[in-house]
Amino acid sequence: MIIGKGLKNSALMVLTAMVGFGVVGCGTASQPASTASNGAAASNAMVPKAEQPVASTTAKPAEVKEEKKLSGKLVVYSAGPKELAESIQKGYEAKTGVKIEMFQGTTGKVLSRMEAEKANPAVDVVILASLPATQGLKKSGLTMEYKDAKNADKLIAEWSDKEGHFFGYSASALGIGYNTKLVPTPPKEWSDLTKEEWKDKVNIPDPALSGSALDFVTGYLSTKGDSGWELLEQYKKNGVAMAGANQEALDPVITGAKSIVVAGVDYLTYQAKAKGEPIDMIYPASGTVISPRPASIIKTTKNPDAAKAYIDYLLSDEAQIMIADTFLLPGRKDIPAKNRPGVDQIPQMKIDWAWMDANGDASTKKFTQIFK
């Protein structure tokens, strides 16, 4: 991914300066009680049977592994949403006593900050709004493995790393958001927005700023190949405007300056709808992209125990319910979505995450050339 002109390149740039840093990790293991030595056993064997000591029938209490007491601070960089990040921060601090230093921004801004700090990394945990961008961090050797995360077995497997380098704790789907006052009959397919009736009425988020928008572009291209560019080129000819990150692309639709946002994240639309705004969302029957929001521990972390506890908290019942309340899709299979369609109700494209990761930089560059 690249920053500004594409999210992937920045993740690779971060590697160049940071890959030399050592892996920070820690763990404990309970040691079994030592057994009697061979010498002691031989000594007992020489004692007459009647005089040999009688083994105790009283069972020893089971050995209990004590949890480590957490301390210090934790630095978290999060690609929003702001209210959710703050709620999770408060819950985690109350539970652990560890204070969080939080930076919030788009996926592009988070990666940009990591690049700026590459000589002296400060972040412990990173949350991005793009699975391929997080895959790029892992490939660059920046993430730390955490295999024993609590409730990880309940996550939707496709959203997380099987080796424990990142965890898809939530997700959003990309769709067509529309102003219900201006659009009584919404379009049904992505291609509908190339028609004359929608000329100059549509926004699209900038994939150089929005990780989820880039997931849509690369996901669509991974299913269509080079022919997928025809749709985006037709969008441009029909006056579709590239309009910043997701919120910037959505706001003009809420106010009525535009009628539609295409490839916008759904949870922002549902949040606005819940507040009484004239906005709603459809998912084309041909399918869309569900964009996981993975969390990963950066291996230069100065507080690995607190970082692991943060991942555990993200996957807890408490945090997953917070996620549902924010209109995002929970990462756990056993926590239902709230007041919005769930994963099984959203038609999905058969996308290729590996292709998306490998082609994010080139796709962003070409997209920007088309829409500049």
Side-chain angles (χ1 to χ4, degrees), residues 30-363:
S30 299
Q31 299 297 327
S34 60
T35 58
S37 67
N38 290 335
S43 176
N44 276 340
M46 293 186 291
V47 179
K49 185 174 182 181
E51 299 178 15
Q52 287 186 18
V54 179
S56 172
T57 58
T58 304
K60 293 183 179 180
E63 193 169 352
V64 178
K65 181 179 178 180
E66 294 184 2
E67 292 189 6
K68 285 191 174 183
K69 183 175 178 60
L70 302 175
S71 61
K73 73 171 184 178
L74 192 70
V75 180
V76 178
Y77 293 173
S78 175
K82 184 175 185 291
E83 297 82 0
L84 175 62
E86 291 176 348
S87 295
I88 288 174
Q89 176 177 346
K90 291 177 182 178
Y92 172 82
E93 289 179 342
K95 186 175 182 65
T96 65
V98 176
K99 295 298 180 183
I100 288 179
E101 184 179 303
M102 178 78 69
F103 170 74
Q104 297 177 51
T106 63
T107 293
K109 289 180 179 178
V110 168
L111 291 174
S112 181
R113 179 156 179 153
M114 290 178 68
E115 180 186 353
E117 297 173 345
K118 60 188 178 183
N120 187 24
V123 64
D124 298 301
V125 175
V126 170
I127 296 171
L128 300 179
S130 170
L131 178 58
T134 308
Q135 289 175 323
L137 293 181
K138 179 191 173 184
K139 286 185 178 180
S140 297
L142 301 179
T143 56
M144 186 179 85
E145 179 183 284
Y146 179 30
K147 285 191 172 180
D148 299 324
K150 296 177 181 178
N151 293 311
D153 59 324
K154 299 175 183 178
L155 291 172
I156 296 173
E158 294 79 9
W159 298 358
S160 299
D161 178 50
K162 62 182 180 180
E163 296 176 348
H165 283 264
F166 56 81
F167 304 87
Y169 80 105
S170 66
S172 61
L174 288 305
I176 298 174
Y178 62 97
N179 186 303
T180 54
K181 291 183 177 179
L182 301 177
V183 185
T185 305
K188 296 181 179 180
E189 278 296 340
W190 306 111
S191 58
D192 289 345
L193 299 176
T194 64
K195 297 177 180 178
E196 178 67 23
E197 64 182 297
W198 304 115
K199 187 171 180 60
D200 299 324
K201 297 180 179 180
V202 180
N203 275 347
I204 189 169
D206 182 353
L209 299 176
S210 166
S212 54
L214 182 56
D215 283 359
F216 172 79
V217 172
T218 54
Y220 185 81
L221 293 171
S222 77
T223 67
K224 301 294 184 180
D226 287 341
S227 65
W229 287 110
E230 294 177 7
L231 175 70
L232 298 172
E233 289 167 351
Q234 289 172 10
Y235 278 179
K236 175 60 176 178
K237 290 178 182 178
N238 208 37
V240 174
M242 185 172 68
N246 286 288
Q247 192 67 61
E248 290 83 359
L250 176 64
D251 285 342
V253 180
I254 294 174
T255 63
K258 292 282 186 178
S259 297
I260 284 175
V261 56
V262 61
V265 289
D266 58 358
Y267 77 92
L268 289 177
T269 295
Y270 294 132
Q271 286 179 352
K273 181 181 178 180
K275 294 176 182 177
E277 300 290 358
I279 193 89
D280 211 342
M281 169 74 61
I282 69 107
Y283 306 103
S286 60
T288 187
V289 175
I290 292 181
S291 180
R293 306 171 70 83
S296 53
I297 301 173
I298 301 304
K299 72 178 183 181
T300 52
T301 175
K302 299 176 179 64
N303 198 344
D305 290 326
K308 291 177 180 179
Y310 188 83
I311 297 295
D312 289 344
Y313 186 72
L314 287 178
L315 308 188
S316 68
D317 290 4
E318 184 175 316
Q320 289 288 301
I321 291 171
M322 290 181 194
I323 290 162
D325 289 341
T326 314
F327 297 97
L328 281 164
L329 294 165
R332 277 176 43 180
K333 296 174 287 188
D334 59 330
I335 304 293
K338 183 177 180 181
N339 297 324
R340 55 151 300 150
V343 173
D344 294 339
Q345 298 169 292
I346 300 172
Q348 297 183 56
M349 301 176 190
K350 293 183 178 180
I351 59 177
D352 184 341
W353 289 112
W355 188 97
M356 293 161 66
D357 178 30
N359 292 275
D361 183 21
S363 298

